[in-house]
Amino acid sequence: MGNCASSLIQGIYYYSDKTEKDSNGLMHWKIDDYEPGDIEVVAAFDIDQRKVGKSVNEAIFEKPNCTTIFNDNLPETDVKVSMGKVLDGVAPHMKNYEDDYTFMVSDEESCDVVQVLKDSGAEILLNYLPVGSEKAARFYAQCCLDAGIAFINCMPVFIVSNGEWEKKFHDKGIPCIGDDIKAQIGATITHRTLANLFKERGVTLDRTYQLNTGGNTDFLNMLNHDRLSSKRESKTEAVQAVVPQRLEDHNIHIGPSDYVPWQNDNKLCFLRMEGKTFGDVPMNIELRLSVEDSPNSAGCVIDAVRCCKLGLKRGIGGQLTSISSYLMKHPPVQYTDDIAAEKVEAFLNGDLER
């Protein structure tokens, strides 16, 4: 129930009284029969004492959440935040920071997650766990399998892109989407687009970096570099996948760089690309991108949820390849973003199985 959940839930209600004509900020107004306001939150999990036991619509505005509040006119809800499993979800160094910026772990007993999911009637679970929560991510993935509900993995623990885990969802006849959500216009999609532009225009990319700073709990959590291996791999492979010849490891550096508390949920990306044009003449691009991180994510997740519902409706088990390749940094299959977008439209129209 962190910043990403806050933005998504605010957005569900924000668009509920709008029409297609004034639906700024959406890639699709309607997917199958589903508009953004048709999504209903029926269960939620967190481990922070300021959120556990509160209604969902209260919890999303509690500390340490710090994202932009663009819609505080939310109806009352009876859905309460349940105490989840901590496992490896809280990095040890987080305890060294002020309460407003870090997690305050509740002393409540963890709930029976599978039973809560079954009792709530949930059809899809969104995984928004902190980066590096390897055990916790797999725990919630297994809960989905045990409860018989679909799984959208928004963080960089490789589950949907792991053949063994994906097969479990396939064999159960449950759709899954993953891994590691992109932003609508964020660092990864911008970097990929420029890398693909180099390729299409015949410019050799020699070296590149992407340095990111932010002030939310995600960036604070990632100060522990032991938790970053999958995140760096996810972001790096998303760019490597679109260059014609793989860059040597020492010529590409992509990943979170530092935590700046006053940035809150604003993310700054500093991107540099160096290459050679006609006649091996050198050129470079330097770019600074500033985005509010969590609404940028929610703009993709709101489509992922509805595509996952369509997968349930069609009885698909396992990976939804098209939407994963379009919305995720580390999908089971990597396509360039233009090809992925075409495949999504084919899936939505029923011309592509998954």
Side-chain angles (χ1 to χ4, degrees):
M1 294 302 291
N3 287 310
C4 289
S6 176
S7 293
L8 177 63
I9 293 169
Q10 288 181 64
I12 290 169
Y13 293 112
Y14 180 80
Y15 289 105
S16 63
D17 61 355
K18 297 193 182 310
T19 64
E20 187 171 4
K21 290 182 179 180
D22 59 357
S23 58
N24 294 331
L26 293 171
M27 291 183 284
H28 296 90
W29 171 250
K30 185 174 280 191
I31 290 179
D32 193 45
D33 294 327
Y34 309 112
E35 297 177 0
D38 293 326
I39 298 170
E40 182 184 1
V41 177
V42 295
F45 306 92
D46 205 284
I47 53 81
D48 195 292
Q49 64 187 32
R50 292 162 291 190
K51 299 174 183 177
V52 173
K54 291 186 177 176
S55 76
V56 164
N57 292 355
E58 290 179 281
I60 61 172
F61 299 121
E62 292 289 345
K63 296 289 187 182
N65 291 7
C66 59
T67 193
T68 294
I69 298 174
F70 59 89
N71 181 24
D72 60 1
N73 184 27
L74 307 184
E76 291 186 10
T77 176
D78 293 331
V79 179
K80 305 292 185 184
V81 179
S82 299
M83 178 63 185
K85 287 275 190 183
V86 178
L87 297 171
D88 57 353
V90 179
H93 75 279
M94 300 285 281
K95 70 178 182 298
N96 299 325
Y97 291 82
E98 295 176 35
D99 293 349
D100 282 356
Y101 300 101
T102 191
F103 304 129
M104 298 174 63
V105 178
S106 171
D107 57 7
E108 282 198 28
E109 289 287 324
S110 60
C111 68
D112 183 334
V113 173
V114 173
Q115 195 61 51
V116 171
L117 292 173
K118 288 180 176 180
D119 292 345
S120 70
E123 296 179 295
I124 300 165
L125 183 137
L126 287 170
N127 177 21
Y128 278 134
L129 285 167
V131 170
S133 306
E134 299 274 343
K135 294 177 182 177
R138 294 186 178 94
F139 167 79
Y140 282 99
Q142 186 61 52
C143 287
C144 287
L145 291 165
D146 294 343
I149 71 171
F151 183 61
I152 300 176
N153 187 31
C154 299
M155 49 84 71
V157 170
F158 305 142
I159 293 174
V160 179
S161 57
N162 176 291
E164 182 179 340
W165 273 99
E166 192 276 338
K167 186 177 185 299
K168 293 179 182 181
F169 284 92
H170 183 276
D171 291 348
K172 281 262 191 174
I174 304 169
C176 54
I177 297 172
D179 299 303
D180 196 11
I181 194 73
K182 290 176 186 171
Q184 279 180 292
I185 301 293
T188 297
I189 191 74
T190 301
H191 207 159
R192 280 170 59 94
T193 299
L194 288 172
N196 194 52
L197 179 65
F198 271 52
K199 177 177 69 175
E200 292 183 348
R201 304 298 285 184
V203 178
T204 301
L205 178 63
D206 292 327
R207 60 185 65 88
T208 186
Y209 66 64
Q210 181 197 124
L211 308 177
N212 302 311
T213 68
N216 55 30
T217 49
D218 191 33
F219 277 90
L220 176 57
N221 168 64
M222 290 188 292
L223 285 178
N224 182 343
H225 284 233
D226 292 339
R227 299 174 70 87
L228 281 185
S229 59
S230 61
K231 183 67 173 179
R232 290 195 188 280
E233 179 181 344
S234 176
K235 290 175 72 66
T236 301
E237 290 304 314
V239 176
Q240 290 275 34
V242 297
V243 298
Q245 187 168 354
R246 188 177 181 87
L247 295 173
E248 295 289 339
D249 289 347
H250 62 272
N251 285 329
I252 181 168
H253 180 87
I254 299 177
S257 302
D258 213 344
Y259 168 66
V260 183
W262 59 260
Q263 281 185 231
N264 290 320
D265 197 39
N266 179 254
K267 176 179 178 178
L268 290 180
C269 163
F270 302 92
L271 191 155
R272 182 177 174 90
M273 305 174 73
E274 298 180 1
K276 293 187 181 73
T277 60
F278 186 79
D280 278 335
V281 176
M283 59 82 66
N284 68 75
I285 290 175
E286 287 200 352
L287 177 148
R288 176 186 181 275
L289 173 70
S290 174
V291 294
E292 191 75 359
D293 212 13
S294 300
N296 217 2
S297 158
C300 290
V301 173
I302 206 159
D303 278 17
V305 170
R306 292 179 291 163
C307 285
C308 203
K309 172 64 176 176
L310 184 55
L312 284 166
K313 189 175 178 180
R314 292 178 180 172
I316 301 170
Q319 59 175 294
L320 298 186
T321 312
S322 57
I323 197 69
S324 292
S325 68
Y326 191 51
L327 297 183
M328 298 289 169
K329 298 184 184 81
H330 197 275
V333 183
Q334 286 274 15
Y335 298 107
T336 57
D337 296 292
D338 54 339
I339 299 299
E342 292 175 5
K343 289 183 176 293
V344 169
E345 296 307 314
F347 170 72
L348 297 182
N349 293 332
D351 299 325
L352 187 66
E353 180 184 359
R354 60 182 65 241

